[in-house]
Amino acid sequence: MPVLKPYQSELHDAAILALWNQRWVDRFPLDSRLWEQNTRQDPLHFRPDLCRVAMEGDQVVGYVGVKTPPAQPAWKGQNSALGWISTLLMAPGHEETLAPLLLNEATNALREAGLETVSYAADPAHFFPGIPIEDEPLQQVLQANGFQVHGESHDLFRHIADFELPDRAQHALRVSGYRIEPCSSALEPALYQFLERTFPGRWLYDTRRRLDREPDPSDVLILTDGSIVVGFVHVFHAGSHVLGPNVYWRGAMGENWGGLGPIGVAEEVRKLGLGFALLCYAVDHLRQRGVNPMGIDWTGLVEFYGKIGFQVWRTYRYASRALR
């Protein structure tokens, strides 16, 4: 019978990566750069003290990763009663025995921490927004252990070498008088003012966290009249210092990968075609950098992005359960 032991990064990371790639390498290939970014480089949420590995002799056959909200909310509206199981891994053939063991350990730890609900994935610095739709065994073990599955989201994908700016996008900019440009250090305060006014939750938090690590803010494109920012979009490429969730699975994307998101505009300029223009100019910006192909992550707006040829690439199902 496997034995649960406290997780120690220096002892267990290589085996956890191997276990992950044994299960998901074709569709979700994981490397140490992404692993470190989404675990140890997120000390505000990642709880190595609550993570556990399942050992069979000296072999790691299971792992459960846990995250919790900080004492002071990381963003406006963060649910202080919600914790996360960010990763649940089991070696093939061990699902039935290990799932209850690992999940009980994690949910008991979250309950003792005072939390009321646990989500599988969708955590800050997440790997997945939910259960990969192809992983029926994972969904089954979560449901068997009290998780309710509800709703779906998607990652999208497109080759963009042939992308051309639609006339509609160019017209929207000409008529409005706004322009789209990379954010500069001088306009960074205006970017944050826009986000604090319009998207004060996780998008503001993620933007601050990213720009703390980038040498400059130019991988955030802004919609502006020169002094006031009314829209933004993150772009990612091989030169970015941070891996965005739209390029997490770059190993399955091909060479010259890139990605986009989040994206949003202020309420007062919606319905003017400027959100669509911002999307198109961001795709063209990446195309001019030599990106091809590119991804968009965690969205239900398949029709919106489909207007310029993006198609569903990955699908996830949300899962959560009450702890009390």
Side-chain angles (χ1 to χ4, degrees):
M1 178 72 178
V3 176
L4 296 191
K5 293 188 177 181
Y7 160 75
Q8 297 180 61
S9 62
E10 65 278 8
L11 295 180
H12 302 132
D13 279 358
I16 291 169
L17 284 171
L19 197 59
W20 176 294
N21 286 316
Q22 184 181 15
R23 188 178 193 98
W24 286 319
V25 69
D26 290 337
R27 295 183 68 79
F28 307 104
L30 182 63
D31 61 12
S32 58
R33 178 185 173 189
L34 179 58
W35 174 258
E36 291 173 8
Q37 176 184 286
N38 289 5
T39 56
R40 291 191 297 280
Q41 292 176 17
D42 181 28
L44 199 61
H45 297 94
F46 181 57
R47 293 294 302 272
D49 57 314
L50 302 183
C51 300
R52 295 291 182 268
V53 291
M55 305 292 299
E56 196 167 66
D58 59 358
Q59 182 180 7
V60 175
V61 294
Y63 167 78
V64 61
V66 176
K67 293 185 181 178
T68 62
Q72 297 297 320
W75 60 80
K76 184 176 181 180
Q78 184 180 30
N79 184 351
S80 61
L82 172 67
W84 301 271
I85 292 175
S86 62
T87 313
L88 179 64
L89 289 171
M90 296 155 290
H94 289 71
E95 289 89 353
E96 288 189 10
T97 55
L98 280 184
L101 198 63
L102 291 166
L103 288 169
N104 285 342
E105 183 78 8
T107 54
N108 286 340
L110 290 166
R111 190 179 295 110
E112 290 173 8
L115 301 175
E116 298 176 3
T117 308
V118 56
S119 170
Y120 176 79
D123 43 306
H126 63 284
F127 291 104
F128 297 138
I131 307 165
I133 195 170
E134 308 91 341
D135 200 330
E136 284 293 336
L138 177 59
Q139 178 171 323
Q140 290 170 8
V141 299
L142 288 168
Q143 289 179 305
N145 286 273
F147 282 76
Q148 302 295 315
V149 176
H150 48 94
E152 291 184 348
S153 68
H154 311 279
D155 294 345
L156 310 180
F157 184 87
R158 186 198 197 281
H159 289 277
I160 63 170
D162 63 345
F163 181 78
E164 296 181 0
L165 278 171
D167 291 341
R168 172 184 162 193
Q170 299 177 66
H171 177 74
L173 280 187
R174 284 196 301 269
V175 170
S176 70
Y178 288 99
R179 66 175 183 263
I180 296 167
E181 60 185 291
C183 188
S184 63
S185 297
L187 282 171
E188 194 169 345
L191 167 65
Y192 285 128
Q193 288 171 9
F194 158 72
L195 290 169
E196 287 164 356
R197 182 178 75 252
T198 311
F199 301 109
R202 184 161 169 175
W203 283 3
L204 171 59
Y205 166 77
D206 285 342
T207 300
R208 287 192 186 279
R209 189 165 178 267
R210 180 185 184 187
L211 294 187
D212 282 346
R213 297 182 56 200
E214 299 282 4
D216 65 67
S218 61
D219 277 346
V220 178
L221 306 185
I222 54 175
L223 178 67
T224 175
D225 66 358
S227 59
I228 298 174
V229 174
V230 295
F232 87 124
V233 57
H234 284 250
V235 295
F236 295 87
H237 49 83
S240 301
H241 283 57
V242 173
L243 291 169
N246 38 66
V247 297
Y248 279 176
W249 315 122
R250 62 204 187 283
M253 293 176 72
E255 296 181 358
N256 304 318
W257 45 266
L260 176 156
I263 179 173
V265 299
E267 186 173 359
E268 63 267 23
V269 300
R270 293 172 191 167
K271 299 185 179 180
L272 300 178
L274 291 172
F276 179 74
L278 185 58
L279 167 65
C280 293
Y281 275 82
V283 173
D284 195 58
H285 173 84
L286 288 171
R287 182 193 62 79
Q288 292 182 47
R289 288 192 62 103
V291 165
N292 182 48
M294 66 169 289
I296 295 170
D297 69 290
W298 195 348
T299 184
L301 303 178
V302 175
E303 183 177 351
F304 173 68
Y305 294 110
K307 292 176 181 177
I308 57 170
F310 280 90
Q311 297 182 340
V312 172
W313 190 50
R314 304 286 188 260
T315 297
Y316 310 89
R317 294 180 176 132
Y318 303 119
S320 61
R321 60 160 287 183
L323 294 172
R324 300 185 185 281

